[in-house]
Amino acid sequence: FAMTLDSIPGNINHYWFTDTSTGDNISNWYWDFGDGTISFLPSVEHTFAQGGTYTVCHAIGGTGVGGYCTDTI
């Protein structure tokens, strides 16, 4: 996945997360932002309430596909 820190002034700790998985049968997405918040959208924006270090986990699934990755921000 890819992540981008929001560049709009005042949007502190606000990120855009984009699924970069490839495959024809992807039908499920799961995001865990490491702060108790999750999402099931392919790509999502998220604002962390506090500054700090978070481990973001992303998993995809579908017929014949599956994967999981993490990154720390």
Side-chain angles (χ1 to χ4, degrees):
F1 66 89
M3 64 185 155
T4 305
L5 178 61
D6 197 329
S7 61
I8 298 174
N11 283 357
I12 300 170
N13 301 322
H14 186 240
Y15 289 81
W16 294 90
F17 295 90
T18 305
D19 174 44
T20 57
S21 305
T22 58
D24 295 330
N25 299 316
I26 299 171
S27 58
N28 301 301
W29 298 266
Y30 174 79
W31 295 91
D32 181 336
F33 298 102
D35 64 354
T37 305
I38 61 171
S39 176
F40 299 101
L41 300 173
S43 297
V44 64
E45 61 181 296
H46 182 68
T47 302
F48 294 94
Q50 302 290 324
T53 302
Y54 298 91
T55 299
V56 177
C57 302
H58 177 51
I60 56 108
T63 305
V65 298
Y68 180 82
C69 62
T70 63
D71 202 350
T72 302
I73 59 168

